[in-house]
Each structure stands twice: as structure tokens, then as C-alpha cells.
Amino acid sequence: MTRHLHLKLHISEPWNFESEAGTSTLSGWTIDHADEGADHWEVQLDQGFDYHDHHYARLLIGPRYVGERIGRIFDAVVGFPVRMAHRTHEGTWAYAFAGTVQIDRERQNKQQAADDAAGPDGAPQGEDE
């Protein structure tokens, strides 16, 4: 089973995003990182946001600059520049935001600790039945 990769997203464009949505920092997760050849990742947001009278719970992220690949996020120290798309009413993706994404190391470490504490079948280790 593919583990969730926890992410933090910071939206810097459009310039009024924070005043419209109430925040410029979002958190979420993806499993698309398991496909090393993926051009973009779909991110399920922990808490969606409202923007221009629409609610968004997922974003599609991809490299902001030509020639980059989304997998470079694993090499980024601070944040990796991305463009972000939302679903339209027609079900297609429309790029509307830009910013940076980084791995949420704190949440990843908590997930790893929980996985380590669980046995191979997912049950806590060291408990007698």
C-alpha cells in the first residue's frame, strides 16, 4: 500500500488569494509520488478553501518552470515552485494559482513513528491477545 506523502502548499499568486480565501498556506497529501514518471500530483487538501464563490478540496500541482519535474520536491530544502490547478465545472483542470510546495516533515515523521509502532498486520506490537 502506498503511504501518503504529506505536503504544505503556499499560494503566492494571485496576489489577493489570502484576502479572498482567508489563508495562503494549505496542507494536504498525495499518493501520486509513487509514480516516479508523473508530470503532476493530485493533492487532497486537509481543509479545502473557498475562492470566488467556489469550494475547492483538491488541487493538481506541477512544476512551475519548463524542464523541471515534480519529483524534485524531494531535493528541495525550502520549497519547490509549482503551479496549481483546480477542477472546473466541466471536470477538467484549470491552472489558476502559483506558489511553492514542500514536504511536511513533522507529519511524515509522525506517520513513520505510527507505522513503526504497528506490527506487520497493522496491529500494535507487544500486545498480548
Side-chain angles (χ1 to χ4, degrees):
M1 182 169 101
T2 302
R3 294 177 53 201
H4 291 176
L5 178 65
H6 296 281
L7 302 169
K8 287 184 186 178
L9 297 94
H10 177 77
I11 298 178
S12 56
E13 293 180 29
W15 64 271
N16 66 338
F17 181 83
E18 186 171 12
S19 62
E20 290 276 334
T23 185
S24 61
T25 303
L26 306 169
S27 61
W29 55 269
T30 187
I31 58 170
D32 292 346
H33 66 286
D35 179 2
E36 293 181 19
D39 294 331
H40 52 268
W41 295 345
E42 186 173 342
V43 177
Q44 178 68 44
L45 300 174
D46 295 332
Q47 294 181 352
F49 63 91
D50 295 319
Y51 189 74
H52 291 294
D53 299 324
H54 296 291
H55 184 77
Y56 301 100
R58 295 181 296 160
L59 292 174
L60 187 73
I61 64 171
R64 185 166 182 183
Y65 302 110
V66 174
E68 290 286 355
R69 56 183 181 75
I70 192 68
R72 293 235 9 243
I73 186 177
F74 296 107
D75 302 329
V77 176
V78 178
F80 181 75
V82 292
R83 58 189 186 134
M84 299 172 229
H86 61 81
R87 280 269 189 212
T88 66
H89 295 293
E90 294 81 29
T92 60
W93 292 102
Y95 284 95
F97 312 112
T100 58
V101 63
Q102 65 187 59
I103 297 171
D104 189 337
R105 303 279 182 205
E106 183 177 335
R107 289 181 63 199
Q108 285 299 117
N109 291 340
K110 286 180 184 178
Q111 179 179 341
Q112 182 64 46
D115 290 349
D116 290 347
D121 61 355
Q125 291 183 350
E127 290 186 10
D128 295 327
E129 294 186 30

PDB file of all heavy atoms in Angstrom, residues 84-96:
ATOM      1  N   MET A  84      -0.603  25.480  -9.738  1.00  0.00           N
ATOM      2  CA  MET A  84      -1.676  24.683  -9.151  1.00  0.00           C
ATOM      3  C   MET A  84      -2.968  24.889  -9.927  1.00  0.00           C
ATOM      4  O   MET A  84      -3.291  26.003 -10.306  1.00  0.00           O
ATOM      5  CB  MET A  84      -1.883  25.084  -7.697  1.00  0.00           C
ATOM      6  CG  MET A  84      -0.663  24.865  -6.827  1.00  0.00           C
ATOM      7  SD  MET A  84      -0.883  25.557  -5.182  1.00  0.00           S
ATOM      8  CE  MET A  84       0.652  26.471  -5.025  1.00  0.00           C
ATOM      9  N   ALA A  85      -3.659  23.784 -10.124  1.00  0.00           N
ATOM     10  CA  ALA A  85      -4.918  23.823 -10.870  1.00  0.00           C
ATOM     11  C   ALA A  85      -6.054  23.342  -9.980  1.00  0.00           C
ATOM     12  O   ALA A  85      -5.844  22.582  -9.042  1.00  0.00           O
ATOM     13  CB  ALA A  85      -4.813  22.932 -12.104  1.00  0.00           C
ATOM     14  N   HIS A  86      -7.249  23.786 -10.297  1.00  0.00           N
ATOM     15  CA  HIS A  86      -8.460  23.331  -9.610  1.00  0.00           C
ATOM     16  C   HIS A  86      -9.380  22.704 -10.639  1.00  0.00           C
ATOM     17  O   HIS A  86      -9.240  22.923 -11.847  1.00  0.00           O
ATOM     18  CB  HIS A  86      -9.152  24.484  -8.891  1.00  0.00           C
ATOM     19  CG  HIS A  86      -9.601  25.576  -9.823  1.00  0.00           C
ATOM     20  ND1 HIS A  86     -10.764  25.492 -10.556  1.00  0.00           N
ATOM     21  CD2 HIS A  86      -9.018  26.755 -10.164  1.00  0.00           C
ATOM     22  CE1 HIS A  86     -10.906  26.584 -11.289  1.00  0.00           C
ATOM     23  NE2 HIS A  86      -9.842  27.359 -11.076  1.00  0.00           N
ATOM     24  N   ARG A  87     -10.325  21.915 -10.168  1.00  0.00           N
ATOM     25  CA  ARG A  87     -11.313  21.295 -11.055  1.00  0.00           C
ATOM     26  C   ARG A  87     -12.345  22.332 -11.482  1.00  0.00           C
ATOM     27  O   ARG A  87     -12.842  23.102 -10.672  1.00  0.00           O
ATOM     28  CB  ARG A  87     -12.058  20.161 -10.347  1.00  0.00           C
ATOM     29  CG  ARG A  87     -11.301  18.898 -10.290  1.00  0.00           C
ATOM     30  CD  ARG A  87     -11.617  18.047 -11.499  1.00  0.00           C
ATOM     31  NE  ARG A  87     -11.026  16.742 -11.282  1.00  0.00           N
ATOM     32  CZ  ARG A  87     -10.570  15.998 -12.245  1.00  0.00           C
ATOM     33  NH1 ARG A  87     -10.643  16.397 -13.478  1.00  0.00           N
ATOM     34  NH2 ARG A  87     -10.034  14.834 -11.983  1.00  0.00           N
ATOM     35  N   THR A  88     -12.692  22.309 -12.757  1.00  0.00           N
ATOM     36  CA  THR A  88     -13.751  23.184 -13.264  1.00  0.00           C
ATOM     37  C   THR A  88     -15.083  22.443 -13.184  1.00  0.00           C
ATOM     38  O   THR A  88     -15.121  21.251 -12.879  1.00  0.00           O
ATOM     39  CB  THR A  88     -13.485  23.580 -14.726  1.00  0.00           C
ATOM     40  OG1 THR A  88     -13.574  22.405 -15.535  1.00  0.00           O
ATOM     41  CG2 THR A  88     -12.127  24.239 -14.878  1.00  0.00           C
ATOM     42  N   HIS A  89     -16.150  23.142 -13.488  1.00  0.00           N
ATOM     43  CA  HIS A  89     -17.475  22.515 -13.503  1.00  0.00           C
ATOM     44  C   HIS A  89     -17.563  21.408 -14.564  1.00  0.00           C
ATOM     45  O   HIS A  89     -18.338  20.470 -14.431  1.00  0.00           O
ATOM     46  CB  HIS A  89     -18.568  23.554 -13.761  1.00  0.00           C
ATOM     47  CG  HIS A  89     -18.689  24.554 -12.662  1.00  0.00           C
ATOM     48  ND1 HIS A  89     -19.120  24.223 -11.402  1.00  0.00           N
ATOM     49  CD2 HIS A  89     -18.425  25.886 -12.625  1.00  0.00           C
ATOM     50  CE1 HIS A  89     -19.119  25.294 -10.639  1.00  0.00           C
ATOM     51  NE2 HIS A  89     -18.701  26.319 -11.360  1.00  0.00           N
ATOM     52  N   GLU A  90     -16.749  21.531 -15.593  1.00  0.00           N
ATOM     53  CA  GLU A  90     -16.749  20.540 -16.667  1.00  0.00           C
ATOM     54  C   GLU A  90     -15.906  19.312 -16.313  1.00  0.00           C
ATOM     55  O   GLU A  90     -15.848  18.355 -17.077  1.00  0.00           O
ATOM     56  CB  GLU A  90     -16.222  21.157 -17.966  1.00  0.00           C
ATOM     57  CG  GLU A  90     -17.110  22.235 -18.547  1.00  0.00           C
ATOM     58  CD  GLU A  90     -16.909  23.585 -17.861  1.00  0.00           C
ATOM     59  OE1 GLU A  90     -15.792  23.853 -17.360  1.00  0.00           O
ATOM     60  OE2 GLU A  90     -17.875  24.352 -17.803  1.00  0.00           O
ATOM     61  N   GLY A  91     -15.207  19.363 -15.181  1.00  0.00           N
ATOM     62  CA  GLY A  91     -14.385  18.234 -14.757  1.00  0.00           C
ATOM     63  C   GLY A  91     -12.953  18.263 -15.244  1.00  0.00           C
ATOM     64  O   GLY A  91     -12.202  17.312 -15.031  1.00  0.00           O
ATOM     65  N   THR A  92     -12.560  19.343 -15.898  1.00  0.00           N
ATOM     66  CA  THR A  92     -11.173  19.476 -16.348  1.00  0.00           C
ATOM     67  C   THR A  92     -10.388  20.283 -15.325  1.00  0.00           C
ATOM     68  O   THR A  92     -10.956  20.887 -14.412  1.00  0.00           O
ATOM     69  CB  THR A  92     -11.105  20.180 -17.718  1.00  0.00           C
ATOM     70  OG1 THR A  92     -11.684  21.488 -17.593  1.00  0.00           O
ATOM     71  CG2 THR A  92     -11.842  19.384 -18.783  1.00  0.00           C
ATOM     72  N   TRP A  93      -9.079  20.280 -15.457  1.00  0.00           N
ATOM     73  CA  TRP A  93      -8.226  21.054 -14.558  1.00  0.00           C
ATOM     74  C   TRP A  93      -7.908  22.404 -15.196  1.00  0.00           C
ATOM     75  O   TRP A  93      -7.594  22.471 -16.378  1.00  0.00           O
ATOM     76  CB  TRP A  93      -6.920  20.318 -14.282  1.00  0.00           C
ATOM     77  CG  TRP A  93      -7.080  19.078 -13.475  1.00  0.00           C
ATOM     78  CD1 TRP A  93      -7.069  17.793 -13.935  1.00  0.00           C
ATOM     79  CD2 TRP A  93      -7.269  18.989 -12.062  1.00  0.00           C
ATOM     80  NE1 TRP A  93      -7.240  16.906 -12.898  1.00  0.00           N
ATOM     81  CE2 TRP A  93      -7.363  17.624 -11.727  1.00  0.00           C
ATOM     82  CE3 TRP A  93      -7.380  19.925 -11.039  1.00  0.00           C
ATOM     83  CZ2 TRP A  93      -7.556  17.162 -10.436  1.00  0.00           C
ATOM     84  CZ3 TRP A  93      -7.567  19.474  -9.750  1.00  0.00           C
ATOM     85  CH2 TRP A  93      -7.652  18.125  -9.454  1.00  0.00           C
ATOM     86  N   ALA A  94      -7.965  23.478 -14.399  1.00  0.00           N
ATOM     87  CA  ALA A  94      -7.627  24.820 -14.865  1.00  0.00           C
ATOM     88  C   ALA A  94      -6.564  25.400 -13.940  1.00  0.00           C
ATOM     89  O   ALA A  94      -6.785  25.519 -12.735  1.00  0.00           O
ATOM     90  CB  ALA A  94      -8.861  25.713 -14.860  1.00  0.00           C
ATOM     91  N   TYR A  95      -5.403  25.719 -14.512  1.00  0.00           N
ATOM     92  CA  TYR A  95      -4.336  26.311 -13.699  1.00  0.00           C
ATOM     93  C   TYR A  95      -4.697  27.747 -13.354  1.00  0.00           C
ATOM     94  O   TYR A  95      -4.991  28.546 -14.226  1.00  0.00           O
ATOM     95  CB  TYR A  95      -2.995  26.241 -14.433  1.00  0.00           C
ATOM     96  CG  TYR A  95      -2.416  24.849 -14.391  1.00  0.00           C
ATOM     97  CD1 TYR A  95      -2.624  23.958 -15.430  1.00  0.00           C
ATOM     98  CD2 TYR A  95      -1.705  24.417 -13.284  1.00  0.00           C
ATOM     99  CE1 TYR A  95      -2.114  22.667 -15.380  1.00  0.00           C
ATOM    100  CE2 TYR A  95      -1.200  23.129 -13.221  1.00  0.00           C
ATOM    101  CZ  TYR A  95      -1.398  22.263 -14.264  1.00  0.00           C
ATOM    102  OH  TYR A  95      -0.901  20.989 -14.204  1.00  0.00           O
ATOM    103  N   ALA A  96      -4.698  28.044 -12.045  1.00  0.00           N
ATOM    104  CA  ALA A  96      -5.116  29.368 -11.597  1.00  0.00           C
ATOM    105  C   ALA A  96      -4.227  29.928 -10.497  1.00  0.00           C
ATOM    106  O   ALA A  96      -4.334  31.094 -10.159  1.00  0.00           O
ATOM    107  CB  ALA A  96      -6.555  29.310 -11.090  1.00  0.00           C
TER     108      ALA A  96
END
